[in-house]
Structures are given as C-alpha cells and as structure tokens.
Amino acid sequence: MRRAVAVRLSALLAAGALTAATGVALSSTTASAATGGVTGYATQNGGTTGGAGGQTVRATTGTAIHQALCSRASSSTPITIQVEGTINHGNTTKVSGSSCNTAAGVIELKQISNVTIVGVGNGAVFDQLGIHIREASNIVIQNVTVKNVKKSGSPTSNGGDAIGMESDVRNVWVDHVTLEASGGESEGYDGLFDMKDNTQYVTLSYSVLRNSGRGGLIGSSESDRSNGYVTFHHNLYENIDSRAPLLRGGIAHMYNNHYKRLNESGINSRAGARAKVDNNYFEDSKDVLGTFYTSEAGYWQVGGNVFDNVTWSSRSGDHNPAGPNPTSNTSVSIPYGFTLDGANCVPNVVAQTAGANKGLKVSDGSCTPQNPDPTDPGPTDPGEPTDPGPTDPPAGTNLSLGAGADGSSKASGTSYGNVVDGNTSTYWSPSGSTGSVSVKWGSATTVSKVNIRLASGSGTIGAYRLLNHDTGAVLATGSGAGTVAFSPASLKKITLEITNASGTPRIAEFETYAS
C-alpha cells in the first residue's frame, strides 16, 4: 500500500463506534442460504453446492466449527455449519481428525470439500480471525462478518486476510458477507479477499468490503498467473486504497458493483489479466481502472459504467489509468447467464442487498431488491435451525423412558438415570465442562432423532457428538440444546459426548425417538 488509511478512517470509525457499542451490526434477522443459489463463475466446473445434501449442525465457537469438520465420516462428506455469535481467538482451537486439518487462531478449511458456513440467528462475527481456504473445493460462505484480521501486531490470523484462498482451490461462493479492516498495512492489515496459487471458479456476490488499504487480489506475484475465472457482482467497495481488486493473469467479471472512495486505484488489471467491467457505479474515487505499479499490462472490456466524481491521473511510467474516457482494449466471453441492473440504480440496489444480516436479498435485474423465496431455498439452504426448544419435542414416543443410562465424568450429586426419568427438574452433569452420558436398551432399537433438554441454571453446550456406542460411529455433531435428526441407526446404546462447554451443562433429559 502506498500510504496508510488510518487518518481517513478516523472519522468513519468514530461514526461507527455507537453502532459497535450498541450491537446494531448484529441484526435480529434470521438467515439461511439465498434463493436461486450460486451465480457467476462458481456455477462452472461442475458448480458449487457446498454442504447441500449433508448434515446441518450449529456452532457458536470456532472450536465447534472445527469439531464439526473433524466429526465427518470423511473430508468430503457434505456438511452445513450454521454459525451464530462471535468467533475469536479465545474460542478457536485446533481439533484433530481424519476428515480435517485445522489450526488454532484461524478457521481452517484445508484439504476438504463440500462445506457450507452460514451465519444464522443474530449473526456470526469472526472478530480478528480469518477464514483460510487451502487445497479445498466446493465451499460456500454466506451471511457472516469478518473484521480486523491482522498480519502484524496482536493477535495475528490468516496472514492478515479476512478471507484467503490458496493452493489448488476450486469452486468457492462467498455471498452476503461483510469484510472490514481498520486501516492499511502500517496498521497491521492486509487484504480482505485474496486468491492465489491456482485458485479458480470463485464468485463474490452481495458483499461489503470496507475500510482497508487493500481490497483483494488474484495472484500473489507477476508470475502467479494460474488463478482466475472470478465473478464480483453487487458488492460495495468503500474506503479502499487499492486492489479493488488487483488481477494478475486470468479472467474476472465485475458487474453491478458500487465503488465508493477508492483512494489510490481501483480495478488493477495487470500481467496479462482480462477484466470484463459491466454496469458498475464508481463514485468519489481516483483511477478506478487501469494497470498500476507494473510495466506488465493488463486488459479490460468496459460497458455501461457510471463515473461519478472520478479523477484520473496522467499516464506515467508504471501508472497507466484507463481514463478519463475508458475504452475496451480486449473482449471477454462469459460462459454463464447473468442479468444486469442499470448502473444508475446500483448504489440503491447494493445498499439494500449487500453485506451480512441484510436478509439475503438479491436483484433480478429490475433495480428492485427481491426477498429470498421461502418455497425455493436453493441447493445450499440449510433450512431453519433444528432446535425447537425444550417446550416443543418431536412427535412420537420418547424411547428413553424406561431405558437405562450410564456415562462418564459424573458430577457429585447427579445421576445418569436423571436423563431418562421424564423429570426436567432432575439432571446429570459432568464433573467439569466435558463428559458423556448414554441411553441404553437390552435389545437393538432404531433411533433417528434426539432431543437434549437442559435444566435451569445450566451452562451452555459449546460442542457435542452423538455416537453409536456399539460401533463408535458419529451420528451427528452440534452445539447447544434442542433436537437433531440423523440417518436411522439400529443400536443398543447411544452416547451424548460433550466436547466443549461454557460453564457446567445440566442435562435434564436425553430423549430419543424413532422418527
């Protein structure tokens, strides 16, 4: 970055202090994956479906996210992880397993595939903690905020990138997210959305990138030209110094984005890159398109863009802006269908749709934001949380009544039998924050759903596993209390294993159901 953004940020951050203090950033909107599913280049190369068709689990800590990944049958078993709350260094530890490769201090999606991470309920905020996608494919990240990830200072995470992809990554859809920093490189931050070392078929849609020295890049150096096929649409880039984005080789498609206060440069197409730039709105910015900081030229095809109070520098040396009257110097063929909003309405459409906790609204090209269709949730929709609460049990007979119970780590004064007695005023507790309790029968019993009820004064279950105790197979993973369904299993003993908790959980009832 040519200069820090700290001075320019001061007024914006002061204005945002009240929002942060009052928690306005976490709206009460409940979200699931958006209607219509994936768009742009992420539809190519076989498409991007994330965890569609797999199990849905809930996580309120980074450790629980890692636990969900590690509890899968394999590294490619589909899973949707619904996230709520603040994910930070304090609650994100390494979890080991044959289906994962995680690390502390970062959400690590490494050497895996078929995963959706979606913010739900009051929202998901990854605070000073980045999301790292490496040697992975078919990943969906939706409706989350990632902020203030640093590469220097303390704490550091993910090389300073809010979302970073590298090393043979394929098919990633990032949608309705908010990516924020609080300065530039001199303040310890790097890029908001980076792709390098052979990352292809990516879409960033309906998202906000703001208050950073660097918006993002495709390619880590002039020689890293194996990346590309990236779509950016209906995003807001606001108060960014440069790299909105930087393209080194490859092809990118930018349409219906709102670029506001790009302070030094914007779309930097270089090293043979080709950018198709359609119906975007550039406002109060400088040198929004061109080849900058290199002698190795890039190319662009432009059409339908609005340049509102955009200034252009003179061409000199390695600084080659496309303006003041940008014209196309290449042509780019786009293999997927798309519908353009008129550029003049882009600021309004993007303001209503882009970012986390906006209700996942989208545009159909009519300049009028559309709500997700509840009757057609799309291939990555995890549905509503499977947690009806203690007053709304599943239908059918509770098979635990009359069954036996045992376990480990029993706290003094509690009984295993309390989880099968139908009395929510009695409970079992582990001796600390972890432990297990089981329901058992004399003969094989088919179970496909359980309901975990907590007693008054209970701590919170951060992460758990449901095990077929006969075989050791993991039936389900999750966090908190409530109902979880899984494929029917015939067994003599089912175990609830609590692997993480805040405080001491009090399990009032461990209910089991055939359907």
Side-chain angles (χ1 to χ4, degrees), residues 51 54-58 79-82 381-386 477-478 484-485:
Q55 182 185 16
T56 296
V57 301
R58 183 73 76 100
I79 189 169
T80 293
I81 306 173
Q82 298 178 332
D381 191 350
E384 292 301 310
T386 56
T477 61
V484 61

Side-chain angles (χ1 to χ4, degrees), residues 1 3-5 151-152 183-190 213-214:
M1 189 186 72
R3 66 178 187 271
V5 295
K151 68 175 182 178
S152 62
E185 187 174 23
S186 61
E187 288 76 44
Y189 305 99
D190 197 10
R214 296 168 172 173

Side-chain angles (χ1 to χ4, degrees), residues 78-427:
I79 189 169
T80 293
I81 306 173
Q82 298 178 332
V83 183
E84 184 174 16
T86 299
I87 311 301
N88 55 35
H89 284 258
N91 63 30
T92 303
T93 59
K94 175 182 174 67
V95 178
S96 297
S98 60
S99 62
C100 64
N101 189 348
T102 71
V106 63
I107 297 301
E108 190 79 292
L109 308 181
K110 183 178 180 181
Q111 297 168 342
I112 63 174
S113 60
N114 308 326
V115 174
T116 293
I117 294 178
V118 56
V120 297
N122 289 322
V125 177
F126 295 79
D127 186 13
Q128 302 183 75
L129 195 82
I131 299 175
H132 186 204
I133 304 171
R134 183 171 185 173
E135 300 172 65
S137 63
N138 195 23
I139 306 295
V140 175
I141 300 174
Q142 193 169 48
N143 199 46
V144 304
T145 294
V146 186
K147 66 179 186 178
N148 293 336
V149 181
K150 286 190 171 185
K151 68 175 182 178
S152 62
S154 181
T156 60
S157 177
N158 197 31
D161 297 335
I163 295 178
M165 290 160 267
E166 62 180 306
S167 301
D168 304 321
V169 173
R170 292 291 185 275
N171 291 86
V172 177
W173 179 34
V174 179
D175 176 67
H176 284 90
V177 304
T178 298
L179 309 178
E180 301 176 322
S182 296
E185 187 174 23
S186 61
E187 288 76 44
Y189 305 99
D190 197 10
L192 295 176
F193 193 72
D194 280 11
M195 292 155 277
K196 43 193 154 182
D197 190 18
N198 198 22
T199 293
Q200 298 181 359
Y201 302 106
V202 176
T203 295
L204 176 67
S205 55
Y206 299 102
S207 295
V208 173
L209 299 85
R210 61 160 66 102
N211 298 345
S212 177
R214 296 168 172 173
L217 57 76
I218 303 174
S220 59
S221 67
E222 304 298 72
S223 62
D224 182 15
R225 303 189 186 192
S226 57
N227 310 279
Y229 309 116
V230 182
T231 301
F232 304 82
H233 74 89
H234 292 93
N235 303 300
L236 170 65
Y237 285 78
E238 183 176 21
N239 197 36
I240 303 290
D241 266 6
S242 63
R243 302 186 180 182
L246 169 99
L247 317 171
R248 291 176 168 122
I251 293 175
H253 186 198
M254 297 85 168
Y255 70 90
N256 286 152
N257 301 292
H258 184 196
Y259 301 91
K260 188 174 182 180
R261 293 198 301 280
L262 304 182
N263 301 307
E264 296 183 1
S265 61
I267 300 170
N268 184 354
S269 180
R270 55 197 268 189
R274 293 190 295 146
K276 184 169 172 60
V277 185
D278 294 323
N279 287 35
N280 301 282
Y281 196 101
F282 299 91
E283 181 179 6
D284 298 337
S285 298
K286 177 183 178 182
D287 292 341
V288 298
L289 175 65
T291 296
F292 308 108
Y293 320 129
T294 183
S295 60
E296 298 191 43
Y299 308 96
W300 45 83
Q301 179 181 351
V302 295
N305 301 289
V306 170
F307 301 94
D308 179 2
N309 192 32
V310 171
T311 60
W312 300 91
S313 302
S314 300
R315 296 186 178 184
S316 175
D318 63 0
H319 194 81
N320 291 282
N325 297 300
T327 58
S328 300
N329 56 17
T330 191
S331 61
V332 180
S333 177
I334 300 300
Y336 52 82
F338 60 99
T339 303
L340 293 172
D341 286 305
N344 281 315
C345 71
V346 163
N348 180 57
V349 169
V350 169
Q352 295 183 63
T353 58
N357 302 305
K358 287 289 190 69
L360 298 175
K361 292 182 178 181
V362 297
S363 174
D364 63 359
S366 67
C367 290
T368 302
Q370 308 292 313
N371 288 313
D373 184 354
T375 64
D376 182 17
T380 63
D381 191 350
E384 292 301 310
T386 56
D387 183 3
T391 60
D392 186 17
T397 301
N398 174 12
L399 304 173
S400 296
L401 293 175
D406 59 22
S408 67
S409 304
K410 182 174 64 174
S412 175
T414 70
S415 168
Y416 298 126
N418 288 341
V419 301
V420 295
D421 64 359
N423 183 355
T424 56
S425 66
T426 62
Y427 59 88

